[in-house]
Amino acid sequence: MLWHQARPLGQAPIVLRPLAQLVCNLSRWATVDPEVMNSSAPAECRNLVGGRWLPSAISRQLPDPLTGDKFLEVPHTQPDEIGPFVQSLRSVPKSGLHNPLKDPERYLLYGDVSFRVAAELRRPEVEHFFARLIQRVAPKSIVQALGEVRVTRKFFENFSGDQVRFLARGFTNPGDHPGQISSGNRWPFGPVALITPFNFPLEIPALQLMGALYMGNKPLLHVDQRVSVVVEQLLRLLHHCGAPPTDVDLLHGPGTTMGEVLKCAEPRSTLFTGSQRVAERLAVEMHGKVFLEDAGFDWKILGPDVRDLDYVAWQCDQDAYACTGQKCSAQSILFAHRNWVIAGLLDRITDLATSRKLSDLTVGPILSWTTKSILDHTKRLLQIPGAKLLFGGKPLSGHSIPEVYGAVEPTAVLIPLEQALLPEHFGVVTTEVFGPFQVVTEWQDGQLPQVLDACERMSHHLTAAVVSNDINFVQHVLGNTVNGTTYVGIRARTTGAPQNHWFGPAGDPRGAGIGTPEAIRLVWSCHREIITDFGPVPPPAFLVQS
């Protein structure tokens, strides 16, 4: 059998009841309804600064990614309106809103807030609300949308109760004499900034935002304005659950306006998730005071041991094309050993990929690449000697997706390994396409060094997968690669940023993590050593001048 691509393994089909049929407490905090957002009744967003929800002078009307109808009004905040945001950040002390020695009861406050938010997200109507809101602004299958909500809920569960204060756990060492002890402490940065993209409009900002708050920082949050309505609703839920409204500022609007705030306010640290181009520019403008989770040209190597063919094909399809390929962890290149090709893996991936359809959003709009740009990239790859189109390479048909977004069939291009490695081809072969697109190449016994050379030459190292149960093969590949989140074994995947393990790049001192205690401590706090030395003071005879 072929694994069903529309739901997780072992789970029954998901059936959503209409929102009106659910016992609803949303009116206490929600200000939009994802079921009725349309051109005649567009949803409206507001900036949050200093604990107040405020409009901007002008708003931007955004199109529905599936129909093109204007369905969302978002503040289009301009540089001449940034004064309150700048002042809000500048008013935050470097010691933060709390730290181990100042207002430590706030650690307990956020443990309680997390508990309450998790409980709310367990309510069917709240889960449904966020899943449908995600689908409206960043169309993806209901399985993917619900998965995002549930990962976020589990994260809040993980940091309920005392778990927030445990994040700030330090250590002590004995001193040189009585009364002296040195202690290592996790200290906040104080005023910080957080910039996140469109593809996971709830999970990424929620996990990073809460990490910043847990450690005692005050963040200014900016999310891609095409999807920022989602995080605004999360903030309203946080306030409903007891979070102080003045602890976070939210700026809707263009990235250039956020850039002006950063230049004027000079936050102590900025977390950026998004494109490589913007990340590198931001690193320069912020004088290196950044954490980055940017590009991800992610590879998967299929070892020589073939087994569980249907499952591996299903996972390859999921990794490359779920969420229409708009994941920073999406499978960008597949190094398939010849044994897998002979066994029919590529044919099975083709069957799965070509069965994706717009009607259930297993394929959908591409928000950062146009149809033309993806098809032009496909043509450039097909000009490489020996290249072959495995499937796709055509626009989607029968839709009303606006031209500003892309709409293409899931696509794969097969390129000979020897050609892909040539300097004149390697750059275009390893260009990350943020959409339903992957490069496939075949290797055979004796060519593993060339495969590993390709991995070494790639510039960014986010996720990777080594699909093999041959422990010697796996250890050899792991020992010669660097990707920060690497799955191994026959069930290995490239995608997956759950709440139960680190997710982030490696090989870059600016690399950010997300979701775990280690990630939160790394990104949202710094080390402070405090040495206490209270005496007793030694006798005068021991006081020798040197």
Side-chain angles (χ1 to χ4, degrees):
M1 63 170 287
L2 295 179
W3 298 102
H4 198 299
Q5 64 190 22
R7 61 179 183 270
L9 297 179
Q11 290 191 13
I14 294 171
V15 178
L16 289 180
R17 290 173 287 167
L19 196 59
Q21 295 180 13
L22 296 166
V23 178
C24 186
N25 70 339
L26 294 171
S27 60
R28 301 177 188 174
W29 53 268
T31 59
V32 302
D33 185 344
E35 304 295 352
V36 301
M37 295 162 51
N38 56 48
S39 56
S40 59
E44 296 181 357
C45 297
R46 292 288 185 268
N47 288 325
L48 175 64
V49 60
R52 299 174 61 202
W53 293 102
L54 301 171
S56 60
I58 58 174
S59 295
R60 181 183 179 190
Q61 289 195 330
L62 299 176
D64 185 322
L66 290 173
T67 67
D69 294 335
K70 305 297 184 183
F71 78 138
L72 185 59
E73 287 191 3
V74 181
H76 201 54
T77 314
Q78 296 300 299
D80 61 0
E81 300 177 273
I82 66 174
F85 296 95
V86 173
Q87 181 57 37
S88 182
L89 274 188
R90 284 181 174 175
S91 67
V92 182
K94 295 176 184 178
S95 56
L97 301 180
H98 63 265
N99 60 52
L101 299 179
K102 181 176 76 173
D103 297 326
E105 62 273 14
R106 282 175 51 89
Y107 293 113
L108 306 184
L109 166 68
Y110 272 104
D112 186 56
V113 168
S114 295
F115 175 85
R116 293 170 182 270
V117 172
E120 287 294 310
L121 289 173
R122 276 196 175 273
R123 295 177 181 271
E125 70 271 21
V126 177
E127 180 181 77
H128 175 97
F129 169 82
F130 277 110
R132 286 293 293 131
L133 190 57
I134 290 168
Q135 282 193 303
R136 291 301 307 274
V137 296
K140 58 184 74 174
S141 73
I142 190 59
V143 172
Q144 293 289 326
L146 281 171
E148 184 174 346
V149 179
R150 290 169 181 172
V151 164
T152 304
R153 185 251 302 163
K154 290 176 182 178
F155 171 86
F156 279 104
E157 291 173 344
N158 286 348
F159 293 100
S160 298
D162 286 321
Q163 297 306 312
V164 174
R165 74 162 129 201
F166 291 162
L167 288 171
R169 176 182 287 138
F171 59 87
T172 62
N173 283 311
D176 293 333
H177 49 256
Q180 185 186 77
I181 296 177
S182 63
S183 63
N185 300 267
R186 299 312 301 179
W187 222 254
F189 294 107
V192 298
L194 169 57
I195 304 170
T196 64
F198 68 86
N199 55 331
F200 286 89
L202 178 66
E203 180 183 344
I204 295 177
L207 271 59
Q208 293 291 14
L209 171 68
M210 298 313 298
L213 291 170
Y214 293 156
M215 299 311 295
N217 303 287
K218 175 169 181 173
L220 169 61
L221 175 59
H222 180 268
V223 180
D224 187 310
Q225 66 181 153
R226 292 171 293 184
V227 302
S228 55
V229 61
V230 179
V231 81
E232 177 181 324
Q233 298 306 301
L234 174 67
L235 287 174
R236 294 179 184 274
L237 174 59
L238 282 167
H239 298 167
H240 172 69
C241 292
T246 55
D247 278 7
V248 183
D249 293 334
L250 172 65
L251 173 64
H252 293 284
T256 52
T257 301
M258 181 64 173
E260 289 301 314
V261 177
L262 297 181
K263 290 178 185 178
C264 296
E266 297 181 319
R268 303 297 297 169
S269 183
T270 297
L271 181 283
F272 175 81
T273 303
S275 73
Q276 176 185 352
R277 176 183 57 84
V278 176
E280 294 298 337
R281 188 181 75 229
L282 191 64
V284 173
E285 293 175 352
M286 295 293 100
H287 308 289
K289 293 187 290 186
V290 295
F291 284 97
L292 306 177
E293 197 266 275
D294 51 350
F297 188 85
D298 306 304
W299 50 262
K300 178 183 285 184
I301 298 173
L302 304 183
D305 50 320
V306 177
R307 54 177 292 175
D308 302 301
L309 185 65
D310 287 337
Y311 180 88
V312 172
W314 173 83
Q315 189 64 67
C316 286
D317 169 75
Q318 287 291 105
D319 284 343
Y321 304 119
C323 290
T324 315
Q326 294 172 107
K327 296 184 179 183
C328 55
S329 58
Q331 177 179 301
S332 302
I333 187 167
L334 176 65
F335 295 98
H337 190 279
R338 176 166 294 178
N339 293 348
W340 288 93
V341 178
I342 293 172
L345 176 79
L346 300 185
D347 291 335
R348 301 196 185 198
I349 294 175
T350 300
D351 291 340
L352 288 165
T354 54
S355 69
R356 291 180 172 271
K357 51 189 183 294
L358 188 59
S359 60
D360 62 5
L361 294 179
T362 50
V363 67
I366 304 159
L367 272 62
S368 60
W369 283 61
T370 64
T371 301
K372 182 179 184 302
S373 62
I374 292 181
L375 296 183
D376 286 348
H377 180 72
T378 305
K379 292 176 183 177
R380 285 195 296 271
L381 288 173
L382 290 174
Q383 292 172 358
I384 296 174
K388 173 186 175 183
L389 182 67
L390 291 178
F391 52 82
K394 296 183 292 185
L396 289 176
S397 59
H399 65 81
S400 53
I401 295 171
E403 290 186 2
V404 68
Y405 299 138
V408 300
E409 296 179 354
T411 299
V413 177
L414 179 69
I415 298 177
L417 180 61
E418 298 82 359
Q419 292 292 327
L421 293 174
L422 293 176
E424 59 267 33
H425 299 151
F426 192 76
V428 67
V429 169
T430 57
T431 296
E432 181 188 17
V433 176
F434 214 61
F437 187 94
Q438 67 171 321
V439 170
V440 178
T441 190
E442 179 183 334
W443 67 284
Q444 55 186 314
D445 293 344
Q447 290 187 309
L448 184 57
Q450 290 97 306
V451 173
L452 294 177
D453 177 62
C455 298
E456 177 73 16
R457 289 164 60 188
M458 295 174 193
S459 60
H460 288 69
H461 307 284
L462 182 55
T463 71
V466 186
V467 182
S468 173
N469 276 1
D470 182 336
I471 188 62
N472 293 320
F473 175 82
V474 167
Q475 288 185 336
H476 181 73
V477 174
L478 289 177
N480 289 277
T481 54
V482 69
N483 293 51
T485 305
T486 305
Y487 293 86
V488 300
I490 202 63
R491 296 188 65 170
R493 56 183 180 168
T494 65
T495 57
Q499 76 297 331
N500 65 309
H501 66 67
W502 168 283
F503 182 87
D508 187 334
R510 307 166 302 176
I514 188 172
T516 64
E518 294 78 15
I520 292 171
R521 293 188 189 105
L522 170 73
V523 175
W524 296 114
S525 69
C526 58
H527 179 88
R528 185 186 189 188
E529 193 80 5
I530 298 175
I531 301 91
T532 59
D533 206 345
F534 294 115
V537 174
F542 287 87
L543 304 180
V544 179
Q545 194 174 43
S546 61

